[in-house]
Amino acid sequence: MKEEIFVVGVGMTRFGRWLDRSLKSLVAEAVLQALKDANCRAADIEAAFFSNTTQSIIEGQHLIRGQIALREIGIESIPIVNVENACASGSTAFYQAINHLRAGAADIALVVGAEKMYNEDRLKSAAVFDGGWDVHQSKAIAERLASIGAGFPTPAGRGPGVASPFMELYASLAKGHMSKFGTTERQLATVAGKNHRHSTLNPLSQYQNDMSVEDVLAGKLIAWPLTLPMCSPISDGAAAAILCTKRTLQRFSDVRPVRVLGCALASGSSREWSDAEGHICRRAADKAYDEAGVGPQDISVAEVHDASAFAEIVQIENLRFCEIGEGGAFSERGETALGGRIPVNPSGGLESKGHPIGATGLGQIYELVQQLRGEAGARQVADARLAIAENGGGFIGVEEAAAVVTILGR
């Protein structure tokens, strides 16, 4: 029987463009919020896991990012582990903290994700994605992914768009899905419109602009079928969570604990694109469901890694909310909107809430803890009892290089 782990405190900054703020200040804001939320002190923390991916490139801060950022708020001497696992870094740090506690190495752990991606030198900001795949095979990988969507022609006058290598990969995969399953450009726009609408209810979202399907379709073309409103931005921001073991829970007074029911980490494989059952996120989801002893029909609310609107369609299929190939139609029917069968990304998702890579996974945890506590305000999912987060990143073969699926319960 695995040790029961609880989230007892969370904190998060607003995600956005914070040129006038330091990474340390963002970390301090999120961590101090989490400490207050858990009604505990920095001195109570026995281990910390720090997620960050870009400061090495943007600031030249290598190797000891967590030790430096956390020292500013009095967290030092304890074990501090720096975690980098592409866009899944924050949820990987969460996974590491869970297992650290289960191993008996500590009873209280802090998990932090933080990123400063905006820089006056835009080339530095753009460079953070260059190593998200095998740099020795980048041309071959791009050609392979492009071939997936090659059978689905781009409409006349709808290309080329803005050069964005990762979005071009998503566009190729989207066209493959469109060709095989009949997914439409309008269905992609429905997903984006839903997320932008949800974001107007979240004061911590980077963008809080309601957009209709027509607004999304009319947006600046990035790589057909993806327009700008269908794509996540770069972001600055931080999020934090405090976890504890069951035997330590009694030490926390006036808290609203949320139980970690399952958390699975997977890495990409050499599968063929046609093997949808073998998708990394589907494998991670099945493992998390098994650990939690629940199924997709039990989930009340989900946060998924919608780096593009197409990614959300694939991930709701991977989480088994609908059959493979039906994600577009499922979304178009309103099943994933607030008030629908399974609300997805009530926070606004990456497309609106923002995507500060190392903080993204913990931003999902923050949202789901709020939902399970009944504290999400105007975007609250009624009677939310079980929640799931999917967070993936990087690229290996035809899928993410890393993915974490986490299930929480009230």
Side-chain angles (χ1 to χ4, degrees), residues 54-63 65 68 119 124:
T54 66
Q55 295 338 108
S56 178
I57 296 169
I58 292 179
E59 295 182 342
Q61 181 60 69
H62 308 287
L63 307 175
R65 287 167 272 186
I68 288 172
N119 191 275
K124 284 188 175 181

Short mmCIF file of all heavy atoms in Angstrom, two decimals, residues 54-63 65 68 119 124:
data_model
loop_
_atom_site.label_atom_id
_atom_site.label_comp_id
_atom_site.label_asym_id
_atom_site.label_seq_id
_atom_site.Cartn_x
_atom_site.Cartn_y
_atom_site.Cartn_z
N THR A 54 14.49 27.65 -18.60
CA THR A 54 14.99 28.68 -19.52
C THR A 54 16.08 29.60 -18.98
O THR A 54 16.72 30.30 -19.75
CB THR A 54 13.82 29.58 -20.00
OG1 THR A 54 13.31 30.32 -18.89
CG2 THR A 54 12.72 28.75 -20.62
N GLN A 55 16.28 29.64 -17.65
CA GLN A 55 17.23 30.62 -17.14
C GLN A 55 18.66 30.32 -17.57
O GLN A 55 19.49 31.22 -17.67
CB GLN A 55 17.15 30.71 -15.62
CG GLN A 55 15.83 31.23 -15.07
CD GLN A 55 14.99 32.05 -16.01
OE1 GLN A 55 13.97 31.55 -16.47
NE2 GLN A 55 15.39 33.25 -16.31
N SER A 56 18.94 29.07 -17.84
CA SER A 56 20.26 28.72 -18.35
C SER A 56 20.53 29.42 -19.67
O SER A 56 21.63 29.94 -19.91
CB SER A 56 20.35 27.19 -18.53
OG SER A 56 21.60 26.83 -19.06
N ILE A 57 19.53 29.46 -20.53
CA ILE A 57 19.67 30.07 -21.86
C ILE A 57 19.56 31.58 -21.78
O ILE A 57 20.37 32.32 -22.36
CB ILE A 57 18.60 29.50 -22.81
CG1 ILE A 57 18.82 28.00 -23.01
CG2 ILE A 57 18.62 30.23 -24.15
CD1 ILE A 57 17.66 27.31 -23.71
N ILE A 58 18.57 32.08 -21.05
CA ILE A 58 18.28 33.51 -21.07
C ILE A 58 19.21 34.32 -20.17
O ILE A 58 19.64 35.42 -20.52
CB ILE A 58 16.80 33.74 -20.68
CG1 ILE A 58 15.91 33.20 -21.81
CG2 ILE A 58 16.52 35.21 -20.44
CD1 ILE A 58 14.43 33.34 -21.56
N GLU A 59 19.54 33.77 -18.99
CA GLU A 59 20.36 34.53 -18.04
C GLU A 59 21.74 33.94 -17.82
O GLU A 59 22.57 34.54 -17.12
CB GLU A 59 19.65 34.59 -16.68
CG GLU A 59 18.34 35.37 -16.70
CD GLU A 59 17.68 35.45 -15.33
OE1 GLU A 59 18.02 34.64 -14.45
OE2 GLU A 59 16.85 36.35 -15.15
N GLY A 60 21.98 32.76 -18.37
CA GLY A 60 23.26 32.10 -18.13
C GLY A 60 23.36 31.52 -16.73
O GLY A 60 24.46 31.22 -16.25
N GLN A 61 22.20 31.36 -16.08
CA GLN A 61 22.19 30.79 -14.73
C GLN A 61 22.04 29.27 -14.83
O GLN A 61 20.95 28.75 -15.05
CB GLN A 61 21.04 31.37 -13.90
CG GLN A 61 20.97 30.84 -12.47
CD GLN A 61 22.23 31.13 -11.69
OE1 GLN A 61 22.52 32.29 -11.38
NE2 GLN A 61 23.01 30.11 -11.39
N HIS A 62 23.14 28.57 -14.68
CA HIS A 62 23.15 27.12 -14.82
C HIS A 62 23.17 26.42 -13.46
O HIS A 62 23.45 27.02 -12.43
CB HIS A 62 24.40 26.68 -15.60
CG HIS A 62 24.62 27.38 -16.89
ND1 HIS A 62 23.84 27.15 -18.00
CD2 HIS A 62 25.52 28.32 -17.27
CE1 HIS A 62 24.27 27.90 -19.01
NE2 HIS A 62 25.28 28.63 -18.58
N LEU A 63 22.86 25.15 -13.46
CA LEU A 63 23.24 24.18 -12.43
C LEU A 63 22.56 24.29 -11.07
O LEU A 63 22.13 23.28 -10.51
CB LEU A 63 24.77 24.21 -12.22
CG LEU A 63 25.62 24.05 -13.50
CD1 LEU A 63 27.10 24.23 -13.18
CD2 LEU A 63 25.35 22.72 -14.16
N ARG A 65 19.92 26.61 -9.99
CA ARG A 65 18.87 27.62 -10.06
C ARG A 65 17.96 27.61 -8.83
O ARG A 65 17.59 28.65 -8.30
CB ARG A 65 18.05 27.40 -11.34
CG ARG A 65 18.80 27.83 -12.59
CD ARG A 65 18.13 27.33 -13.85
NE ARG A 65 18.59 26.00 -14.22
CZ ARG A 65 18.26 25.37 -15.34
NH1 ARG A 65 17.45 25.95 -16.20
NH2 ARG A 65 18.72 24.17 -15.62
N ILE A 68 19.59 29.01 -5.57
CA ILE A 68 19.72 30.46 -5.61
C ILE A 68 18.36 31.14 -5.41
O ILE A 68 18.24 32.08 -4.61
CB ILE A 68 20.36 30.90 -6.94
CG1 ILE A 68 21.85 30.51 -6.94
CG2 ILE A 68 20.19 32.40 -7.17
CD1 ILE A 68 22.54 30.70 -8.26
N ASN A 119 12.31 38.42 -22.78
CA ASN A 119 13.59 39.09 -22.69
C ASN A 119 13.65 40.16 -23.75
O ASN A 119 13.04 40.02 -24.82
CB ASN A 119 14.72 38.06 -22.89
CG ASN A 119 16.08 38.62 -22.55
OD1 ASN A 119 16.73 39.26 -23.37
ND2 ASN A 119 16.53 38.36 -21.33
N LYS A 124 16.90 35.32 -27.68
CA LYS A 124 17.09 34.46 -26.52
C LYS A 124 15.78 33.77 -26.15
O LYS A 124 15.77 32.58 -25.81
CB LYS A 124 17.61 35.28 -25.34
CG LYS A 124 19.08 35.64 -25.42
CD LYS A 124 19.56 36.28 -24.14
CE LYS A 124 21.05 36.53 -24.17
NZ LYS A 124 21.53 37.15 -22.90
#
